[in-house]
Amino acid sequence: MKKLLVAIIGSMFVLSAYAQTPASVSSSCAAKAVDKNGKALSGAAKTSFMKKCEKTSCEAQAVSKNGKPLSGAAKNSSIKKCLAS
């Protein structure tokens, strides 16, 4: 019973990681691109923030089929594919 529960929770984690598409990542990152005073970022500051935000979002999606985080070349490949799309 415990194994079934762990499998269900693990599959829910994996599905939630894949549910966030790159387009939704961009829009959520754009919404977060504000300075400490609440003004929207622009120019180089916004570009830098967007790259960092999208990369961290792609790192969160870099998980194996069984829900474990990827590492090494597999992680790099997954992040590269995520950022390209």
Side-chain angles (χ1 to χ4, degrees), residues 1-12:
M1 185 66 176
K2 287 183 182 179
K3 288 182 181 181
L4 178 62
L5 184 60
V6 170
I8 291 171
I9 292 172
S11 63
M12 289 173 61

Side-chain angles (χ1 to χ4, degrees), residues 50-71:
M50 292 292 288
K51 283 183 181 180
K52 182 178 178 183
C53 181
E54 288 172 356
K55 184 171 181 171
T56 56
S57 298
C58 288
E59 286 179 359
Q61 292 179 7
V63 293
S64 66
K65 291 181 182 178
N66 58 2
K68 293 183 180 179
L70 295 175
S71 62

